[in-house]
Amino acid sequence: MSTEQAEVIIVGAGLAGSIIAYQLGMAGVDVLVLESGPEIPVNRTQYLERFYTATLKTPESPYPPVSTLDTPRDPSKENAPRATIADLILGWNEPKTSYLVQKGPLPFNSTYERVGGGTTWHWVGTCLRMVPNDFRLRSKYGVGVDWPIGYDDLQSAYCRAEAEIGVSANVADQAYLGMTFPEGYSFPMRSIPLSLVDGSFVTAVTGQTFDGLPLVVSPTPAGRNSQPYAGRRVCAGNTNCTPICPIQAKYDATVTMNKALSTGKVRVMYRTVASKVTVGPDKNINGVEFIQYQLGDGPQTGTGVAIGQRYVIAAHAIETPKLLLNSKTPDWPNGVANSSGQVGRSLSDHPIYLAWGLMPEGKTVFPYRGPVSTAGIESLRDGDFRSQRAAWRIEIGNEGWNWPVGDPYVTVADFIDGANNSHTNPLPSKENPPPPTEALYGMALIQRLNDLFIRQFRIGFLVEQVEEHPDQSNSYIVPSTDKLTDGLGILRPEIHYDLSDYTKEGFRQAKILASHIIKDLLGAVELTAPIGQGTFTYKGDDYSFQGAGHLMGTYRMGDDPAKSVVDKYQRSWDHKNLFLVGDGVFPSTGTSNPSLTIAALSFQAGDTVANDLKAVTMQVQANNPWQGTGVQVNGLVPRLVRYVSGLWCASPQGGNVDGKGGSRHIDYSSYALPGAAEGALVGRVGNDGTPFLVGDLAQVPGDQQGELQLCINDDLTGKYGSGLKDNTGALTIRVEFGAL
């Protein structure tokens, strides 16, 4: 068994792990990342070729291991398997083919990747912020669980996340339902233009309401380039965001991980599966055991343990609890970090109600162009109705019927074979008997397809998932009770999944609105039908739901150690050197795609870990001029200066004051910062930097480079008396990582 050491051990090289690795690398921290999947390819052509040649074109098809129907895999023999669409098709509750051991009653329909960069390889790119009331569902509406933080606590982190990802959006389009932005803030890039599909919805719904709320189409903030940004190209409109952007106009986490590697402080061990987290006598984590393997079904190539001062588990809402629960010992019989019993509980998604239709003849919208989605109806994400039923956002799709039907392939096959899998051969009719199917070829086939394809559209309602009793969740993960393992001998995750009546009522209302929009407002033909394995009956009607790929819950944050797994800094209540990050910390799902919030929370967790290891605490003497801190400011790593304690006075006869200084304002030129309070803590960057007020807390200006220097705001030269000479006392300060 080998031993690997670093100051910080990170498990997972997806969105959260990559952001934290980059932050820590920039802070000068030695980082080792353990990634269960294969290396980042030299270029994405390798993955593109896998997609082009795949017979099953699913979100997972470009990425190893192979996902196929004709040669079903055996997850018990694969070294790092993951959930795929193929699993669901072959039988969601069949563990011989499905990596997730699903016990029902409903299927968990979402999938994920285990490769460098994680699931951001095939995400849609939606970068919505949560709305303020998403954080206080319990206190505002009496359901679900409140977050231990609010929207304002994430404001600066959201801005940092938008900059790192490269979000295209306009502030004016996003200022709804209480959402605010810093004064003068603008997104890194302008919004992606609306599609013709979006424009049709704008025309149809403007001035309309539902549940007393207006229907408003808003451009969707997107993690893709509307102009050149960060060395990446402009979106070329391939409508191929899922499963892979061929030109990397869409952000994926490899962008950030490559920057982390360039710091020289970060290294990644790929094809390295974390198998156990170990705990020392002091209750701190003292290692992560791992197993290395070859691609394919080859044998193990090694085992080892990674040892650090801090540990970050960033393996998302299924693989993280699997690891923690598989790490149980006699001293920790419930698994690591699980004194609350909440690890693995409250597994959530955004189950999707999918609806689609065909625009009236002559109304062309030309789908299959542009990103998968460029706009949505966001104005219904919050309201008093949330005391009774789940909220949702509405995504407007640009990819025709690709998702619900499998087009453009299925309709083509229908009109060649005389079949009707798309329900367009013939279209629904009141004729009795109905018209027969047609088998076409040549110009007749071309004309029919051209007529149908240019009128296709779909919408998706992303429904928030809320448990009836959040502390006794009906949706949860445990290690396989049947002792089913993967090829490395690790117990696979056993999934128990269900939807509450609160969530199902959201589906009922979504169905009502979808039909109203499609038939009444658009004047289109609705072709919505049950698809896939996810079906349920509610109040006498049948519903079908899709997985959004938004894995949330299972190690939620909170204020109470008895009811949560981590605190608001994502630090384990049980082990102070362990951080659990990613969407597993979400106490409730809210209504937005989770990626941007994952990124924002990762910045905050990264700050906390960096401060544990590299924050500088020192004293600023009252009788000295500018004093160096040893902290080099480069504008890339945001820094805060915080007054901690201490008092000083201007003379033995004077009164004591803290970092905010005295009550007088003196404009003497020999003061470090004329106009600021006498004796206030002030700073500058470099010898020639412009002084700025610290007081008790300030952010260091990010547009300067050099050493951070501090002093108190007094007569530095003695021009008006004894100056600093008769001062007594000192201020204790802390220079931290983070942003206001």
Side-chain angles (χ1 to χ4, degrees), residues 123 125-135 147 150-165 167-188 218-223 350 377-379 381-382 386 392-393 462 586 588-601 740:
W123 71 313
T126 300
C127 283
L128 285 162
R129 296 185 177 197
M130 298 179 71
V131 300
N133 282 342
D134 287 343
F135 295 92
W147 290 53
Y151 179 86
D152 290 343
D153 297 312
L154 274 184
Q155 181 71 264
S156 65
Y158 271 141
C159 297
R160 293 167 72 184
E162 287 157 352
E164 177 61 28
I165 291 172
V167 176
S168 298
N170 302 320
V171 167
D173 296 327
Q174 306 306 313
Y176 53 79
L177 298 174
M179 198 179 304
T180 60
F181 296 84
E183 184 177 356
Y185 181 74
S186 60
F187 285 92
S218 303
T220 303
H350 284 130
I377 298 175
E378 315 295 349
S379 52
R381 290 170 57 187
D382 186 44
R386 293 178 87 178
W392 20 254
R393 65 170 295 258
L462 281 71
F586 287 23
S588 59
T589 68
T591 51
S592 63
N593 304 48
S595 298
L596 187 72
T597 302
I598 294 171
L601 290 170
L740 293 176

Coordinates of all heavy atoms in Angstrom, one line a residue, residues 123 125-135 147 150-165 167-188 218-223 350 377-379 381-382 386 392-393 462 586 588-601 740:
W123 N -23.6 18.8 -19.0 CA -24.6 19.6 -18.5 C -25.1 20.6 -19.6 O -24.5 20.9 -20.6 CB -24.2 20.4 -17.2 CG -23.2 21.5 -17.4 CD1 -22.0 21.5 -18.2 CD2 -23.2 22.8 -16.9 NE1 -21.4 22.7 -18.1 CE2 -22.1 23.5 -17.3 CE3 -24.1 23.5 -16.0 CZ2 -21.8 24.8 -16.9 CZ3 -23.8 24.8 -15.6 CH2 -22.7 25.4 -16.1
G125 N -25.7 23.8 -19.2 CA -25.0 25.1 -19.0 C -25.9 26.1 -18.3 O -25.4 27.3 -18.3
T126 N -27.0 25.7 -17.8 CA -27.9 26.7 -17.1 C -27.3 27.2 -15.8 O -26.9 26.4 -15.0 CB -29.3 26.1 -16.8 OG1 -29.9 25.7 -18.1 CG2 -30.2 27.0 -16.1
C127 N -27.2 28.5 -15.6 CA -26.5 29.1 -14.5 C -27.5 30.1 -13.7 O -27.1 31.2 -13.5 CB -25.3 29.8 -14.9 SG -23.9 28.7 -15.3
L128 N -28.6 29.6 -13.4 CA -29.6 30.4 -12.6 C -29.1 30.5 -11.1 O -28.7 29.5 -10.5 CB -30.9 29.7 -12.7 CG -31.7 29.9 -14.0 CD1 -32.8 28.9 -14.0 CD2 -32.3 31.3 -14.1
R129 N -29.3 31.6 -10.6 CA -29.3 31.8 -9.1 C -30.6 31.3 -8.5 O -31.6 31.3 -9.1 CB -29.1 33.2 -8.7 CG -27.8 33.9 -9.2 CD -27.6 35.3 -8.6 NE -26.3 35.9 -9.0 CZ -25.8 37.0 -8.4 NH1 -26.4 37.5 -7.4 NH2 -24.6 37.4 -8.8
M130 N -30.5 30.8 -7.2 CA -31.7 30.5 -6.5 C -32.3 31.9 -6.1 O -31.7 32.9 -6.0 CB -31.3 29.7 -5.2 CG -30.7 28.4 -5.5 SD -30.3 27.4 -4.0 CE -31.9 27.0 -3.4
V131 N -33.7 31.9 -6.0 CA -34.3 33.1 -5.5 C -34.3 33.1 -4.0 O -34.2 32.1 -3.4 CB -35.8 33.2 -6.1 CG1 -35.7 33.2 -7.6 CG2 -36.6 32.0 -5.6
P132 N -34.4 34.3 -3.4 CA -34.3 34.4 -2.0 C -35.2 33.5 -1.1 O -34.7 32.9 -0.1 CB -34.6 35.9 -1.7 CG -34.2 36.6 -3.0 CD -34.5 35.7 -4.1
N133 N -36.4 33.3 -1.6 CA -37.3 32.5 -0.7 C -37.0 31.0 -0.8 O -37.5 30.2 -0.1 CB -38.8 32.7 -1.1 CG -39.3 34.0 -0.5 OD1 -38.7 34.6 0.4 ND2 -40.4 34.5 -1.1
D134 N -36.2 30.6 -1.8 CA -35.7 29.2 -1.9 C -35.0 28.8 -0.6 O -34.9 27.6 -0.2 CB -34.8 28.9 -3.1 CG -35.6 28.9 -4.4 OD1 -36.8 28.8 -4.4 OD2 -34.9 29.1 -5.4
F135 N -34.3 29.8 0.1 CA -33.5 29.5 1.2 C -34.3 29.4 2.5 O -33.8 29.1 3.6 CB -32.4 30.6 1.4 CG -31.4 30.7 0.3 CD1 -31.6 31.5 -0.8 CD2 -30.3 29.9 0.3 CE1 -30.7 31.5 -1.9 CE2 -29.3 29.9 -0.7 CZ -29.6 30.7 -1.8
W147 N -32.4 26.8 4.8 CA -31.0 26.8 4.7 C -30.4 27.6 5.9 O -31.1 28.5 6.4 CB -30.5 27.5 3.4 CG -30.8 26.7 2.2 CD1 -32.0 26.2 1.8 CD2 -29.8 26.4 1.2 NE1 -31.9 25.6 0.6 CE2 -30.5 25.6 0.2 CE3 -28.5 26.6 1.0 CZ2 -29.9 25.2 -1.0 CZ3 -27.9 26.1 -0.2 CH2 -28.6 25.4 -1.1
G150 N -28.7 32.7 3.8 CA -29.7 33.3 2.9 C -29.1 33.8 1.6 O -27.9 33.6 1.4
Y151 N -29.9 34.3 0.7 CA -29.4 34.8 -0.6 C -28.3 35.8 -0.4 O -27.3 35.7 -1.2 CB -30.6 35.4 -1.3 CG -30.2 35.9 -2.7 CD1 -30.2 35.1 -3.8 CD2 -29.9 37.3 -2.9 CE1 -29.9 35.6 -5.1 CE2 -29.6 37.8 -4.1 CZ -29.6 36.9 -5.2 OH -29.2 37.4 -6.4
D152 N -28.4 36.7 0.5 CA -27.4 37.8 0.6 C -26.1 37.2 1.0 O -25.0 37.7 0.7 CB -27.8 38.8 1.6 CG -29.0 39.7 1.1 OD1 -29.2 39.7 -0.1 OD2 -29.7 40.3 2.0
D153 N -26.1 36.0 1.8 CA -24.8 35.4 2.2 C -24.1 34.8 1.0 O -22.9 34.6 1.1 CB -25.1 34.3 3.2 CG -25.7 34.8 4.5 OD1 -25.2 35.8 5.0 OD2 -26.7 34.3 4.9
L154 N -24.8 34.6 -0.1 CA -24.1 34.0 -1.3 C -23.9 35.0 -2.4 O -23.4 34.7 -3.4 CB -25.0 32.9 -1.9 CG -24.9 31.5 -1.3 CD1 -25.7 30.5 -2.1 CD2 -23.4 31.0 -1.4
Q155 N -24.2 36.3 -2.1 CA -24.2 37.3 -3.2 C -22.8 37.4 -3.8 O -22.6 37.2 -5.1 CB -24.6 38.7 -2.7 CG -24.6 39.8 -3.6 CD -25.7 39.7 -4.7 OE1 -25.5 39.2 -5.8 NE2 -26.9 40.2 -4.3
S156 N -21.7 37.6 -3.0 CA -20.4 37.7 -3.6 C -19.9 36.4 -4.2 O -19.2 36.4 -5.2 CB -19.4 38.2 -2.5 OG -19.2 37.3 -1.5
A157 N -20.3 35.3 -3.6 CA -19.9 34.0 -4.1 C -20.5 33.7 -5.4 O -19.9 33.1 -6.3 CB -20.2 32.9 -3.1
Y158 N -21.8 34.1 -5.6 CA -22.4 34.0 -6.9 C -21.7 34.8 -8.0 O -21.5 34.3 -9.1 CB -23.9 34.5 -6.8 CG -24.9 33.4 -6.5 CD1 -26.0 33.8 -5.6 CD2 -24.9 32.1 -7.0 CE1 -26.9 32.8 -5.3 CE2 -25.8 31.2 -6.7 CZ -26.8 31.5 -5.8 OH -27.8 30.6 -5.5
C159 N -21.3 36.0 -7.6 CA -20.5 36.8 -8.6 C -19.2 36.1 -9.0 O -18.8 36.1 -10.1 CB -20.2 38.2 -8.0 SG -21.7 39.2 -7.7
R160 N -18.5 35.5 -8.0 CA -17.2 34.8 -8.3 C -17.5 33.6 -9.2 O -16.7 33.3 -10.1 CB -16.6 34.4 -7.0 CG -16.1 35.6 -6.1 CD -15.7 35.2 -4.7 NE -14.5 34.4 -4.7 CZ -14.0 33.8 -3.5 NH1 -14.7 34.0 -2.4 NH2 -12.9 33.2 -3.6
A161 N -18.6 32.9 -8.9 CA -18.9 31.7 -9.7 C -19.2 32.1 -11.1 O -18.8 31.4 -12.1 CB -20.1 31.0 -9.0
E162 N -20.0 33.2 -11.3 CA -20.3 33.6 -12.6 C -19.1 34.1 -13.4 O -19.0 33.8 -14.6 CB -21.3 34.8 -12.5 CG -22.7 34.3 -12.1 CD -23.6 35.3 -11.5 OE1 -23.1 36.4 -11.2 OE2 -24.8 35.0 -11.2
A163 N -18.1 34.6 -12.7 CA -16.9 35.0 -13.4 C -16.0 33.8 -13.8 O -15.5 33.7 -14.9 CB -16.0 35.9 -12.5
E164 N -15.9 32.8 -12.9 CA -15.1 31.6 -13.2 C -15.8 30.8 -14.3 O -15.0 30.3 -15.2 CB -15.0 30.7 -11.9 CG -14.3 29.4 -12.1 CD -12.8 29.6 -12.5 OE1 -12.2 30.7 -12.2 OE2 -12.3 28.7 -13.2
I165 N -17.0 30.6 -14.2 CA -17.7 29.8 -15.3 C -17.8 30.5 -16.6 O -17.6 30.0 -17.7 CB -19.1 29.4 -14.8 CG1 -19.0 28.4 -13.7 CG2 -20.0 28.8 -15.9 CD1 -20.3 28.0 -13.0
V167 N -20.5 33.4 -17.3 CA -21.9 33.3 -17.5 C -22.4 34.5 -18.4 O -22.0 35.6 -18.3 CB -22.7 33.4 -16.2 CG1 -24.2 33.5 -16.4 CG2 -22.3 32.2 -15.3
S168 N -23.2 34.1 -19.4 CA -23.8 35.1 -20.3 C -25.2 35.4 -19.9 O -26.0 34.5 -19.9 CB -23.8 34.5 -21.8 OG -22.5 34.3 -22.2
A169 N -25.4 36.6 -19.5 CA -26.8 37.1 -19.1 C -26.8 38.6 -18.9 O -25.7 39.2 -18.9 CB -27.1 36.4 -17.7
N170 N -28.0 39.1 -18.7 CA -28.2 40.5 -18.5 C -28.9 40.7 -17.1 O -29.9 40.0 -16.9 CB -29.0 41.2 -19.6 CG -28.4 41.0 -20.9 OD1 -27.2 41.2 -21.1 ND2 -29.2 40.8 -21.9
V171 N -28.3 41.6 -16.3 CA -28.9 41.7 -15.0 C -30.4 42.1 -15.0 O -31.2 41.5 -14.2 CB -28.1 42.8 -14.2 CG1 -28.9 43.3 -12.9 CG2 -26.7 42.3 -13.8
A172 N -30.8 43.0 -15.9 CA -32.2 43.4 -16.0 C -33.1 42.2 -16.2 O -34.3 42.2 -15.7 CB -32.3 44.4 -17.1
D173 N -32.7 41.2 -16.9 CA -33.5 40.1 -17.2 C -33.7 39.1 -16.0 O -34.6 38.3 -15.9 CB -33.0 39.2 -18.4 CG -32.9 40.0 -19.7 OD1 -33.8 40.8 -19.9 OD2 -32.0 39.7 -20.5
Q174 N -32.8 39.3 -15.0 CA -32.8 38.3 -13.9 C -33.3 39.0 -12.6 O -33.4 38.3 -11.6 CB -31.3 37.8 -13.7 CG -30.7 37.2 -14.9 CD -31.5 36.1 -15.5 OE1 -32.0 35.2 -14.8 NE2 -31.7 36.2 -16.8
A175 N -33.6 40.2 -12.6 CA -34.1 40.9 -11.4 C -35.6 40.7 -11.1 O -36.4 41.5 -11.3 CB -33.8 42.4 -11.5
Y176 N -35.9 39.4 -10.8 CA -37.3 39.1 -10.5 C -37.3 38.3 -9.2 O -36.3 37.8 -8.7 CB -37.8 38.2 -11.6 CG -37.0 37.0 -12.0 CD1 -37.0 35.9 -11.2 CD2 -36.2 37.0 -13.1 CE1 -36.3 34.7 -11.5 CE2 -35.4 35.9 -13.4 CZ -35.5 34.8 -12.6 OH -34.7 33.7 -12.9
L177 N -38.5 38.3 -8.6 CA -38.8 37.5 -7.4 C -37.8 37.8 -6.3 O -37.4 36.9 -5.5 CB -38.8 36.0 -7.7 CG -39.9 35.5 -8.7 CD1 -39.7 34.1 -9.1 CD2 -41.3 35.7 -8.1
G178 N -37.5 39.0 -6.1 CA -36.6 39.4 -5.0 C -35.1 39.3 -5.2 O -34.3 39.5 -4.3
M179 N -34.7 38.8 -6.4 CA -33.3 38.6 -6.7 C -32.6 40.0 -6.9 O -33.1 40.8 -7.7 CB -33.2 37.8 -8.0 CG -31.8 37.1 -8.1 SD -31.7 36.1 -9.6 CE -33.0 34.9 -9.3
T180 N -31.5 40.2 -6.2 CA -30.7 41.4 -6.3 C -29.3 41.2 -6.7 O -28.8 40.0 -6.7 CB -30.7 42.1 -4.9 OG1 -30.1 41.3 -4.0 CG2 -32.1 42.5 -4.5
F181 N -28.7 42.2 -7.2 CA -27.3 42.2 -7.6 C -26.5 43.4 -7.0 O -27.1 44.4 -6.7 CB -27.2 42.2 -9.1 CG -27.8 41.0 -9.8 CD1 -29.2 40.9 -10.0 CD2 -27.0 39.9 -10.1 CE1 -29.7 39.8 -10.6 CE2 -27.6 38.8 -10.7 CZ -29.0 38.8 -11.0
P182 N -25.2 43.3 -6.8 CA -24.4 44.4 -6.4 C -24.6 45.6 -7.3 O -24.8 45.5 -8.5 CB -23.0 43.9 -6.4 CG -23.1 42.4 -6.3 CD -24.4 42.1 -7.0
E183 N -24.5 46.8 -6.7 CA -24.7 48.0 -7.5 C -23.6 48.0 -8.6 O -22.4 47.8 -8.4 CB -24.5 49.3 -6.7 CG -24.8 50.6 -7.4 CD -24.7 51.8 -6.5 OE1 -24.5 51.6 -5.2 OE2 -24.8 52.9 -7.0
G184 N -24.1 48.3 -9.8 CA -23.2 48.3 -11.0 C -22.7 47.0 -11.5 O -21.9 47.0 -12.4
Y185 N -23.2 45.9 -11.0 CA -22.8 44.6 -11.4 C -23.2 44.3 -12.8 O -24.3 44.6 -13.3 CB -23.3 43.5 -10.5 CG -22.9 42.1 -10.9 CD1 -21.6 41.7 -10.6 CD2 -23.7 41.2 -11.5 CE1 -21.1 40.4 -11.0 CE2 -23.3 39.9 -11.8 CZ -22.0 39.5 -11.5 OH -21.6 38.3 -11.9
S186 N -22.4 43.6 -13.6 CA -22.8 43.1 -14.9 C -22.2 41.7 -15.0 O -21.1 41.4 -14.5 CB -22.3 44.0 -16.0 OG -20.9 44.1 -16.0
F187 N -22.9 40.8 -15.7 CA -22.4 39.5 -16.0 C -21.1 39.5 -16.9 O -20.9 40.5 -17.6 CB -23.4 38.6 -16.6 CG -24.5 38.2 -15.7 CD1 -25.7 39.0 -15.5 CD2 -24.4 37.0 -15.0 CE1 -26.7 38.6 -14.7 CE2 -25.4 36.6 -14.1 CZ -26.6 37.4 -14.0
P188 N -20.3 38.5 -16.9 CA -19.1 38.5 -17.7 C -19.4 38.7 -19.2 O -18.6 39.3 -19.9 CB -18.5 37.1 -17.5 CG -19.0 36.7 -16.1 CD -20.4 37.3 -16.0
S218 N -37.9 34.8 -19.8 CA -36.6 35.4 -19.5 C -35.5 34.7 -20.1 O -35.5 33.4 -20.1 CB -36.4 35.5 -17.9 OG -37.4 36.1 -17.3
P219 N -34.5 35.4 -20.7 CA -33.3 34.7 -21.2 C -32.6 34.0 -20.0 O -32.5 34.5 -18.9 CB -32.4 35.9 -21.7 CG -33.4 37.0 -22.0 CD -34.5 36.8 -20.9
T220 N -32.2 32.8 -20.3 CA -31.6 32.0 -19.2 C -30.1 32.2 -19.1 O -29.3 32.1 -20.1 CB -31.8 30.5 -19.5 OG1 -33.2 30.2 -19.7 CG2 -31.2 29.6 -18.4
P221 N -29.6 32.6 -17.9 CA -28.1 32.7 -17.8 C -27.4 31.4 -18.1 O -27.8 30.3 -17.7 CB -28.0 33.0 -16.3 CG -29.3 33.6 -15.9 CD -30.3 32.9 -16.7
A222 N -26.4 31.5 -18.9 CA -25.8 30.3 -19.5 C -24.3 30.3 -19.3 O -23.6 31.3 -19.5 CB -26.1 30.2 -21.0
G223 N -23.8 29.2 -18.9 CA -22.3 29.0 -18.8 C -21.7 28.7 -20.2 O -21.0 27.7 -20.3
H350 N -34.6 17.4 -9.5 CA -35.7 18.2 -10.0 C -36.5 17.3 -11.0 O -36.2 17.3 -12.2 CB -35.2 19.4 -10.7 CG -34.8 20.5 -9.8 ND1 -33.6 21.1 -9.9 CD2 -35.4 21.1 -8.7 CE1 -33.5 22.0 -9.0 NE2 -34.5 22.0 -8.2
I377 N -39.5 30.3 -18.5 CA -40.5 31.1 -17.8 C -40.1 30.9 -16.3 O -40.3 29.9 -15.7 CB -41.9 30.6 -18.0 CG1 -42.2 30.8 -19.5 CG2 -42.9 31.4 -17.2 CD1 -43.6 30.3 -19.9
E378 N -39.5 32.0 -15.7 CA -39.0 32.0 -14.4 C -39.9 32.7 -13.4 O -39.6 32.7 -12.2 CB -37.6 32.6 -14.3 CG -36.6 32.2 -15.4 CD -36.2 30.7 -15.4 OE1 -36.5 30.1 -14.4 OE2 -35.7 30.2 -16.4
S379 N -40.9 33.3 -13.8 CA -41.7 34.2 -13.0 C -42.7 33.4 -12.1 O -43.3 34.0 -11.2 CB -42.6 35.1 -13.8 OG -43.3 34.4 -14.8
R381 N -41.5 30.8 -10.1 CA -40.7 30.0 -9.2 C -41.0 30.2 -7.8 O -40.5 29.5 -6.9 CB -39.2 30.3 -9.5 CG -38.7 29.8 -10.9 CD -37.3 30.3 -11.2 NE -36.3 30.0 -10.2 CZ -35.1 30.5 -10.2 NH1 -34.7 31.3 -11.2 NH2 -34.2 30.2 -9.2
D382 N -41.8 31.2 -7.4 CA -42.0 31.5 -6.0 C -43.4 32.2 -5.9 O -43.9 32.9 -6.8 CB -41.0 32.4 -5.5 CG -41.1 32.7 -4.0 OD1 -41.4 31.7 -3.2 OD2 -41.0 33.8 -3.5
R386 N -46.6 28.0 -2.6 CA -45.6 27.0 -2.2 C -46.0 26.4 -0.8 O -45.4 25.5 -0.4 CB -44.3 27.6 -2.1 CG -43.7 27.9 -3.5 CD -42.4 28.6 -3.5 NE -41.3 27.7 -3.4 CZ -40.0 28.0 -3.4 NH1 -39.6 29.3 -3.5 NH2 -39.0 27.1 -3.4
W392 N -42.0 25.4 -9.7 CA -41.2 24.9 -10.8 C -40.7 26.1 -11.6 O -41.2 27.2 -11.5 CB -41.9 23.9 -11.7 CG -43.4 23.9 -11.6 CD1 -44.2 22.9 -11.1 CD2 -44.3 24.8 -12.2 NE1 -45.5 23.2 -11.2 CE2 -45.6 24.3 -11.9 CE3 -44.2 26.0 -12.9 CZ2 -46.8 25.0 -12.3 CZ3 -45.3 26.7 -13.3 CH2 -46.6 26.2 -13.0
R393 N -39.7 25.8 -12.4 CA -39.3 26.7 -13.5 C -39.6 26.0 -14.8 O -39.6 24.7 -14.8 CB -37.8 27.2 -13.4 CG -36.8 26.0 -13.6 CD -35.4 26.6 -13.8 NE -35.3 27.4 -15.0 CZ -34.8 27.0 -16.1 NH1 -34.2 25.8 -16.2 NH2 -34.8 27.8 -17.2
L462 N -39.2 21.9 -14.3 CA -38.3 21.4 -13.3 C -38.9 21.6 -12.0 O -39.0 22.7 -11.4 CB -36.9 22.0 -13.4 CG -36.0 21.5 -14.5 CD1 -36.5 22.0 -15.9 CD2 -34.6 22.1 -14.3
F586 N -27.3 20.7 -0.1 CA -28.6 21.5 -0.2 C -29.6 21.0 0.8 O -30.0 19.8 0.7 CB -29.1 21.4 -1.6 CG -28.4 22.1 -2.7 CD1 -27.0 22.4 -2.5 CD2 -29.0 22.5 -3.9 CE1 -26.3 23.1 -3.5 CE2 -28.3 23.1 -4.9 CZ -27.0 23.5 -4.7
S588 N -32.7 22.0 0.8 CA -33.9 21.9 -0.1 C -33.4 22.2 -1.5 O -32.4 22.8 -1.7 CB -35.0 22.8 0.4 OG -34.6 24.2 0.3
T589 N -34.3 21.8 -2.5 CA -33.8 21.9 -3.9 C -34.0 23.2 -4.5 O -33.3 23.6 -5.4 CB -34.5 20.8 -4.7 OG1 -35.9 21.2 -4.8 CG2 -34.4 19.4 -4.1
G590 N -35.0 24.0 -4.0 CA -35.3 25.2 -4.7 C -35.8 25.0 -6.1 O -36.2 23.9 -6.4
T591 N -35.6 25.9 -6.9 CA -36.2 25.8 -8.3 C -35.2 26.1 -9.4 O -35.6 26.1 -10.6 CB -37.4 26.9 -8.4 OG1 -36.9 28.2 -8.0 CG2 -38.5 26.5 -7.6
S592 N -34.0 26.3 -9.1 CA -33.0 26.6 -10.1 C -32.1 25.3 -10.3 O -31.8 24.6 -9.4 CB -32.1 27.8 -9.7 OG -31.4 27.5 -8.5
N593 N -31.6 25.2 -11.5 CA -30.5 24.2 -11.8 C -29.4 24.5 -10.8 O -29.0 25.6 -10.6 CB -30.0 24.3 -13.2 CG -31.2 24.2 -14.2 OD1 -32.2 24.8 -14.1 ND2 -31.0 23.3 -15.2
P594 N -28.8 23.4 -10.2 CA -28.0 23.7 -9.0 C -26.5 24.1 -9.3 O -25.8 24.4 -8.4 CB -28.0 22.3 -8.3 CG -28.2 21.3 -9.4 CD -29.1 22.0 -10.4
S595 N -26.1 24.0 -10.5 CA -24.6 24.1 -10.8 C -24.0 25.4 -10.3 O -23.0 25.5 -9.7 CB -24.3 24.0 -12.3 OG -24.7 22.7 -12.7
L596 N -24.7 26.6 -10.5 CA -24.1 27.8 -10.1 C -24.1 27.9 -8.6 O -23.1 28.4 -8.0 CB -25.0 29.0 -10.6 CG -24.4 30.4 -10.4 CD1 -23.1 30.6 -11.2 CD2 -25.4 31.5 -10.6
T597 N -25.1 27.4 -7.9 CA -25.0 27.4 -6.4 C -24.0 26.5 -5.9 O -23.3 26.8 -4.9 CB -26.4 27.0 -5.9 OG1 -27.4 28.0 -6.3 CG2 -26.4 27.1 -4.3
I598 N -23.7 25.3 -6.6 CA -22.6 24.4 -6.2 C -21.3 25.2 -6.3 O -20.5 25.2 -5.4 CB -22.6 23.2 -7.1 CG1 -23.8 22.3 -6.9 CG2 -21.3 22.4 -6.9 CD1 -23.9 21.2 -8.0
A599 N -21.1 25.9 -7.4 CA -19.9 26.7 -7.6 C -19.7 27.8 -6.5 O -18.6 28.0 -6.0 CB -19.9 27.3 -9.0
A600 N -20.8 28.5 -6.2 CA -20.7 29.6 -5.2 C -20.4 29.0 -3.9 O -19.5 29.5 -3.1 CB -22.1 30.3 -5.2
L601 N -21.0 27.9 -3.5 CA -20.7 27.3 -2.2 C -19.3 26.7 -2.1 O -18.7 26.7 -1.1 CB -21.7 26.2 -1.9 CG -23.2 26.6 -1.6 CD1 -24.1 25.4 -1.6 CD2 -23.3 27.3 -0.2
L740 N -16.2 40.1 0.1 CA -17.4 40.7 0.7 C -18.6 40.6 -0.3 O -18.4 40.7 -1.5 CB -17.2 42.1 1.1 CG -16.2 42.4 2.3 CD1 -16.0 43.8 2.5 CD2 -16.7 41.7 3.5

